[in-house]
């Protein structure tokens, strides 16, 4: 089961004082630093399978379908994002394997049976959007990737 929701990012002239007080635009500001270039985001509201269907590739397939849609048909979409409870290690591994980056931890995001739980905000970026990553982060990732590829090329496998 999955719910994927597109949303348009309001321009600064359409943001209300109430929105600012409630922090509704904080995620958009973090994930989409240039809303004139990327005016949309997709949110994964829910994604889950029955216990028997886990590790069958169904979740990956659903996320990949949405990512393909974003790449082919939604040029204005800069991010696909979600929240995941911090103890859900299986989901965290899945999202990281699918190219999502951990953006930040949010305290007390979920309340389950009157108990508060933190979550992680994860995002996968599209169409040149770097989101929360600084220029230094991008250059560091590039350099790390080059070093890793060179080390694999120079060190023969046994």
């Amino acid at each position: 089961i999955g719910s994927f929701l597109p949303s348009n990012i309001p321009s600064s002239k359409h943001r209300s004082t109430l929105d600012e007080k409630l922090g509704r635009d904080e995620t958009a500001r973090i994930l989409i630093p240039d809303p004139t270039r990327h005016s949309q985001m997709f949110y994964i509201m829910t994604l889950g399978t029955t216990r028997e269907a886990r590790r069958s590739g169904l979740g990956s397939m659903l996320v990949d379908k949405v990512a393909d849609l974003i790449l082919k048909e939604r040029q204005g979409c800069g991010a696909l994002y979600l929240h995941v409870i911090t103890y859900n290690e299986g989901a965290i591994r899945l999202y990281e394997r699918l190219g999502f980056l951990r953006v930040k931890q949010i305290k007390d995001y979920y309340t389950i049976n009157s108990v508060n739980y933190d979550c992680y905000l994860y995002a996968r970026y599209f169409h040149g959007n770097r989101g929360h990553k600084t220029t230094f982060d991008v250059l560091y990732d590039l350099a790390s990737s080059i070093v890793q590829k060179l080390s694999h090329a120079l060190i023969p496998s046994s």
Side-chain angles (χ1 to χ4, degrees), residues 7-143:
S7 65
N8 289 319
I9 300 165
S11 67
S12 58
K13 67 181 177 183
H14 293 106
R15 288 188 187 129
S16 71
T17 306
L18 180 60
D19 284 339
E20 290 296 323
K21 284 181 183 174
L22 294 174
R24 288 189 186 146
D25 293 324
E26 179 184 1
T27 299
R29 283 193 299 271
I30 292 169
L31 301 181
I32 308 289
D34 184 1
T36 60
R37 185 167 176 215
H38 302 100
S39 61
Q40 295 178 324
M41 302 186 301
F42 266 76
Y43 180 62
I44 299 176
M45 181 179 285
T46 60
L47 181 62
T49 61
T50 61
R51 190 169 307 281
E52 300 81 35
R54 289 190 186 137
R55 304 203 46 83
S56 68
L58 184 60
S60 296
M61 183 184 71
L62 287 169
V63 174
D64 285 342
K65 287 280 188 193
V66 172
D68 286 345
L69 171 85
I70 291 169
L71 287 168
K72 293 175 184 170
E73 299 179 23
R74 299 289 181 131
Q75 298 303 311
C77 183
L80 175 60
Y81 72 105
L82 58 97
H83 297 92
V84 61
I85 201 161
T86 56
Y87 64 74
N88 192 342
E89 295 173 8
I92 290 167
R93 281 192 304 274
L94 169 70
Y95 297 131
E96 289 179 351
R97 190 173 68 249
L98 292 171
F100 285 80
L101 303 170
R102 186 180 300 176
V103 177
K104 71 179 212 171
Q105 185 168 338
I106 302 171
K107 185 163 180 52
D108 298 333
Y109 185 81
Y110 293 108
T111 301
I112 302 169
N113 297 325
S114 301
V115 178
N116 292 337
Y117 295 91
D118 295 355
C119 80
Y120 296 124
L121 171 64
Y122 271 85
R124 181 171 165 186
Y125 299 115
F126 296 89
H127 306 298
N129 179 32
R130 293 193 316 241
H132 73 287
K133 296 184 75 121
T134 65
T135 301
F136 175 79
D137 293 331
V138 172
L139 292 173
Y140 179 84
D141 291 347
L142 178 63

